[in-house]
Amino acid sequence: MKKTATIFLMTLFLLSGAIQAQHNIIPVPRSYEATEGELLIEKGLEIILLTENESLKEQVALFGTQMKDSGIEFTVGQGEVGKTLKIALNETALDTLGTEGYQLVVEDTGMLLTANTTAGTFNGLQTIKQLLPVKREASKEGELLPISIKTCIIEDAPRFGWRGLMLDVSRHFFSVDEVKAYLDQMAEFKFNVFHWHLTDDQGWRIEIKTFPKLTEVGAWRVERHGRFGSERAAPKKSEKTTYGGFYTQEEVKDIIAYAAARNITIVPEIDVPGHSMALLAAYPQYSTRKEFKHVNPGSKFVDWYGNGKFKMLVENTLNPADPAVYAFLDMVFEEIANLFPGEYIHMGGDECYHGFWEEDAKVKDFMAKNSINNGDELQSYFVKRVEKIISSKGKKMIGWDEILEGGLAEGAAVMSWRGMKGGIEAAGMGHEVVMTPTTFAYLDYTQGDYSVENKIYADLSLEKSYSFDPVPELILDPYLILGGQGNLWTEDIPSLSFAFYMTYPRAMALSESLWSNKSNKNWDNFLERTSAHLDRFDEKNINVARTIYEPEVKVYKDGNKLMCELKNHFSDIEMYYTIDNTYPVSFGKKYEGPFQIPAGNLKLRVQSFRNGEPIERLLIIDRKDLESRVK
């Protein structure tokens, strides 16, 4: 084994680190070197474990289960019969690989996967998955065709240790099986942190045995349909709360184990002191007004003024002047800490309205006695109390960047979402940071044309996500940047299939930004690899966005003329359109250059085609909409 590893390393050092185009691996490896030859798999692979390790055995069993539909037979043995996949842990750790890196050699006789740890072998298996087909092609006679893989040498390791996705299960509840399916896809692209947003105004989703009403009351709300906001009617006292759900502690343990088997650590979020309406519906005594309230069903309860300014119409904040609140949170976080083995607990801390505090006589008296001058300082007092509670449980606290306001708690980490400013400030103070700015990482933002997509707060294209770099130039201590993550808020995401649609392929772009070396990133090459993965998602019957094929519609004025320009990322895609209310567009005009949009009651219809077949949905945009797009 030592001799094999030595030869392997000598080979790596002799080869350059240039990334070749012979693969579709996402995220792109640190080093991929094509060699002369091919591995031809006619039937299957025999997996040989060169290191005796229970975790490796479990990984191999999971790998075989996940590949059961590929048409490749996987057997575990000790001999070398036919083509093999050998897996081993390095006897002497290689510094270049760290804890999650791996080396993979593909030869004409099989594959050799080595790593320092089982986290590394797991990541290597995800790369092997991407080298193999989702489903094996068959001949006209129905016989499975051989699989050919270009022989190569890969050395790979992540740039950042925190590569996360957040799923909001409060706005819409996702079942245990749905959460597991989300974790499965995360693992395939080497994400290793699942930020689980468990509580908010619209639902409390985790069983707390000390306070059963949190789920008996807080997990359920009246049912409403359609978009969140003023269109949804406020709940009535007589209405039954039939929509919702929660995870029992046994289910949570099951999901934690499921994630761990996929090299994913779960960071639970209990969002306080704001976003607490579900909590206060169950226990109103922890607010200032102590009024009865419903779990919010997505109806309006806040006025937004812009620039982050807002006013809550219904109290959704805990009372920071009440000692009982901290005793309550101590018991809640005790159960959370006992459930989750990870290092961090997220306490939220975002979008906390101070108005009800400032109106309350007892709170004002508390502030005067404790020399607290304003709402920011009072929130800071609350955050520091919560940090002490969480650290007393042997965990580190992390919160949204609002926890900086009024003074940051010692030992707290910051998740920077309102751009990178908060992260830069926190790192300058010596605190650890996870970058998750809206401008690159908010996966609920619109990703395609408004004529067919839900228009939400802002836009986020695949290309913009791909340009994400968690370490801004202003950071003096880049080691404090743990990494980054994408966030999926689910106000307008009522199903798992749509959650996948909004997550991918943008999460693949974030994965590459968080895993791969900056020098290896290439947008055009990423597009080609993404296109191949969209086909793989199709084969797995998973709904994902295909907006990379969608025509980009640009409208501008040329004197008095209203002009339209269409763009597409791919040279082999043709775009056909009509502007005279006729259809289908395949009988319209092939786009050759900018064209005039005449006056009149008309619609632009445009669609992308590859090899004469539509590759994306039809866009239908009326003239008023087109006029509104002029910049």
Side-chain angles (χ1 to χ4, degrees), residues 356-368:
F356 292 103
W357 298 348
E358 294 165 350
E359 295 170 1
D360 186 83
K362 291 182 179 179
V363 172
K364 287 190 285 187
D365 183 57
F366 176 84
M367 292 174 66

PDB file of all heavy atoms in Angstrom, residues 356-368:
ATOM      1  N   PHE A 356     -42.430  47.561  20.229  1.00  0.00           N
ATOM      2  CA  PHE A 356     -43.220  47.126  21.382  1.00  0.00           C
ATOM      3  C   PHE A 356     -42.400  47.223  22.669  1.00  0.00           C
ATOM      4  O   PHE A 356     -42.944  47.482  23.743  1.00  0.00           O
ATOM      5  CB  PHE A 356     -43.731  45.703  21.168  1.00  0.00           C
ATOM      6  CG  PHE A 356     -44.745  45.598  20.071  1.00  0.00           C
ATOM      7  CD1 PHE A 356     -44.384  45.091  18.822  1.00  0.00           C
ATOM      8  CD2 PHE A 356     -46.050  46.013  20.254  1.00  0.00           C
ATOM      9  CE1 PHE A 356     -45.312  44.994  17.792  1.00  0.00           C
ATOM     10  CE2 PHE A 356     -46.988  45.923  19.236  1.00  0.00           C
ATOM     11  CZ  PHE A 356     -46.613  45.422  18.003  1.00  0.00           C
ATOM     12  N   TRP A 357     -41.094  47.017  22.586  1.00  0.00           N
ATOM     13  CA  TRP A 357     -40.224  47.199  23.750  1.00  0.00           C
ATOM     14  C   TRP A 357     -40.232  48.661  24.182  1.00  0.00           C
ATOM     15  O   TRP A 357     -40.369  48.957  25.377  1.00  0.00           O
ATOM     16  CB  TRP A 357     -38.778  46.807  23.418  1.00  0.00           C
ATOM     17  CG  TRP A 357     -38.562  45.376  23.030  1.00  0.00           C
ATOM     18  CD1 TRP A 357     -39.445  44.344  23.156  1.00  0.00           C
ATOM     19  CD2 TRP A 357     -37.374  44.833  22.468  1.00  0.00           C
ATOM     20  NE1 TRP A 357     -38.886  43.186  22.695  1.00  0.00           N
ATOM     21  CE2 TRP A 357     -37.610  43.442  22.274  1.00  0.00           C
ATOM     22  CE3 TRP A 357     -36.136  45.349  22.101  1.00  0.00           C
ATOM     23  CZ2 TRP A 357     -36.635  42.595  21.728  1.00  0.00           C
ATOM     24  CZ3 TRP A 357     -35.171  44.517  21.573  1.00  0.00           C
ATOM     25  CH2 TRP A 357     -35.420  43.157  21.390  1.00  0.00           C
ATOM     26  N   GLU A 358     -40.092  49.553  23.211  1.00  0.00           N
ATOM     27  CA  GLU A 358     -39.962  50.974  23.515  1.00  0.00           C
ATOM     28  C   GLU A 358     -41.252  51.575  24.073  1.00  0.00           C
ATOM     29  O   GLU A 358     -41.226  52.627  24.717  1.00  0.00           O
ATOM     30  CB  GLU A 358     -39.525  51.725  22.257  1.00  0.00           C
ATOM     31  CG  GLU A 358     -38.112  51.343  21.802  1.00  0.00           C
ATOM     32  CD  GLU A 358     -37.798  51.791  20.383  1.00  0.00           C
ATOM     33  OE1 GLU A 358     -38.745  52.241  19.677  1.00  0.00           O
ATOM     34  OE2 GLU A 358     -36.630  51.677  19.956  1.00  0.00           O
ATOM     35  N   GLU A 359     -42.381  50.889  23.832  1.00  0.00           N
ATOM     36  CA  GLU A 359     -43.670  51.370  24.332  1.00  0.00           C
ATOM     37  C   GLU A 359     -44.010  50.808  25.709  1.00  0.00           C
ATOM     38  O   GLU A 359     -44.962  51.272  26.356  1.00  0.00           O
ATOM     39  CB  GLU A 359     -44.779  50.982  23.352  1.00  0.00           C
ATOM     40  CG  GLU A 359     -44.664  51.644  21.981  1.00  0.00           C
ATOM     41  CD  GLU A 359     -45.643  51.047  20.983  1.00  0.00           C
ATOM     42  OE1 GLU A 359     -46.404  50.131  21.383  1.00  0.00           O
ATOM     43  OE2 GLU A 359     -45.641  51.472  19.816  1.00  0.00           O
ATOM     44  N   ASP A 360     -43.272  49.812  26.162  1.00  0.00           N
ATOM     45  CA  ASP A 360     -43.630  49.098  27.392  1.00  0.00           C
ATOM     46  C   ASP A 360     -42.961  49.754  28.605  1.00  0.00           C
ATOM     47  O   ASP A 360     -41.732  49.925  28.632  1.00  0.00           O
ATOM     48  CB  ASP A 360     -43.197  47.633  27.271  1.00  0.00           C
ATOM     49  CG  ASP A 360     -43.683  46.810  28.453  1.00  0.00           C
ATOM     50  OD1 ASP A 360     -44.846  46.373  28.427  1.00  0.00           O
ATOM     51  OD2 ASP A 360     -42.892  46.602  29.399  1.00  0.00           O
ATOM     52  N   ALA A 361     -43.760  50.074  29.603  1.00  0.00           N
ATOM     53  CA  ALA A 361     -43.244  50.784  30.784  1.00  0.00           C
ATOM     54  C   ALA A 361     -42.220  49.946  31.532  1.00  0.00           C
ATOM     55  O   ALA A 361     -41.178  50.464  31.976  1.00  0.00           O
ATOM     56  CB  ALA A 361     -44.402  51.155  31.707  1.00  0.00           C
ATOM     57  N   LYS A 362     -42.463  48.645  31.675  1.00  0.00           N
ATOM     58  CA  LYS A 362     -41.528  47.788  32.417  1.00  0.00           C
ATOM     59  C   LYS A 362     -40.200  47.646  31.677  1.00  0.00           C
ATOM     60  O   LYS A 362     -39.135  47.597  32.291  1.00  0.00           O
ATOM     61  CB  LYS A 362     -42.166  46.425  32.669  1.00  0.00           C
ATOM     62  CG  LYS A 362     -43.323  46.454  33.644  1.00  0.00           C
ATOM     63  CD  LYS A 362     -43.874  45.052  33.883  1.00  0.00           C
ATOM     64  CE  LYS A 362     -45.030  45.090  34.881  1.00  0.00           C
ATOM     65  NZ  LYS A 362     -45.615  43.743  35.115  1.00  0.00           N
ATOM     66  N   VAL A 363     -40.284  47.575  30.370  1.00  0.00           N
ATOM     67  CA  VAL A 363     -39.055  47.474  29.586  1.00  0.00           C
ATOM     68  C   VAL A 363     -38.259  48.772  29.697  1.00  0.00           C
ATOM     69  O   VAL A 363     -37.023  48.755  29.859  1.00  0.00           O
ATOM     70  CB  VAL A 363     -39.373  47.150  28.108  1.00  0.00           C
ATOM     71  CG1 VAL A 363     -38.104  47.232  27.249  1.00  0.00           C
ATOM     72  CG2 VAL A 363     -39.988  45.764  27.989  1.00  0.00           C
ATOM     73  N   LYS A 364     -38.954  49.900  29.613  1.00  0.00           N
ATOM     74  CA  LYS A 364     -38.257  51.181  29.719  1.00  0.00           C
ATOM     75  C   LYS A 364     -37.598  51.327  31.094  1.00  0.00           C
ATOM     76  O   LYS A 364     -36.482  51.855  31.204  1.00  0.00           O
ATOM     77  CB  LYS A 364     -39.230  52.330  29.452  1.00  0.00           C
ATOM     78  CG  LYS A 364     -39.615  52.448  27.981  1.00  0.00           C
ATOM     79  CD  LYS A 364     -40.375  53.718  27.669  1.00  0.00           C
ATOM     80  CE  LYS A 364     -41.798  53.668  28.155  1.00  0.00           C
ATOM     81  NZ  LYS A 364     -42.587  54.851  27.686  1.00  0.00           N
ATOM     82  N   ASP A 365     -38.268  50.873  32.133  1.00  0.00           N
ATOM     83  CA  ASP A 365     -37.692  50.909  33.480  1.00  0.00           C
ATOM     84  C   ASP A 365     -36.464  50.000  33.556  1.00  0.00           C
ATOM     85  O   ASP A 365     -35.443  50.365  34.154  1.00  0.00           O
ATOM     86  CB  ASP A 365     -38.747  50.474  34.499  1.00  0.00           C
ATOM     87  CG  ASP A 365     -38.236  50.555  35.924  1.00  0.00           C
ATOM     88  OD1 ASP A 365     -37.806  51.655  36.333  1.00  0.00           O
ATOM     89  OD2 ASP A 365     -38.254  49.519  36.626  1.00  0.00           O
ATOM     90  N   PHE A 366     -36.542  48.841  32.939  1.00  0.00           N
ATOM     91  CA  PHE A 366     -35.412  47.898  32.900  1.00  0.00           C
ATOM     92  C   PHE A 366     -34.215  48.536  32.192  1.00  0.00           C
ATOM     93  O   PHE A 366     -33.065  48.418  32.643  1.00  0.00           O
ATOM     94  CB  PHE A 366     -35.848  46.624  32.176  1.00  0.00           C
ATOM     95  CG  PHE A 366     -34.747  45.610  31.986  1.00  0.00           C
ATOM     96  CD1 PHE A 366     -34.433  44.716  32.990  1.00  0.00           C
ATOM     97  CD2 PHE A 366     -34.026  45.562  30.795  1.00  0.00           C
ATOM     98  CE1 PHE A 366     -33.412  43.778  32.811  1.00  0.00           C
ATOM     99  CE2 PHE A 366     -33.014  44.635  30.604  1.00  0.00           C
ATOM    100  CZ  PHE A 366     -32.704  43.741  31.618  1.00  0.00           C
ATOM    101  N   MET A 367     -34.477  49.213  31.093  1.00  0.00           N
ATOM    102  CA  MET A 367     -33.404  49.855  30.337  1.00  0.00           C
ATOM    103  C   MET A 367     -32.735  50.949  31.175  1.00  0.00           C
ATOM    104  O   MET A 367     -31.496  51.059  31.188  1.00  0.00           O
ATOM    105  CB  MET A 367     -33.951  50.446  29.037  1.00  0.00           C
ATOM    106  CG  MET A 367     -34.418  49.403  28.034  1.00  0.00           C
ATOM    107  SD  MET A 367     -35.241  50.120  26.567  1.00  0.00           S
ATOM    108  CE  MET A 367     -33.872  51.002  25.791  1.00  0.00           C
ATOM    109  N   ALA A 368     -33.526  51.722  31.880  1.00  0.00           N
ATOM    110  CA  ALA A 368     -32.964  52.792  32.709  1.00  0.00           C
ATOM    111  C   ALA A 368     -32.090  52.217  33.826  1.00  0.00           C
ATOM    112  O   ALA A 368     -30.991  52.730  34.101  1.00  0.00           O
ATOM    113  CB  ALA A 368     -34.092  53.635  33.298  1.00  0.00           C
TER     114      ALA A 368
END
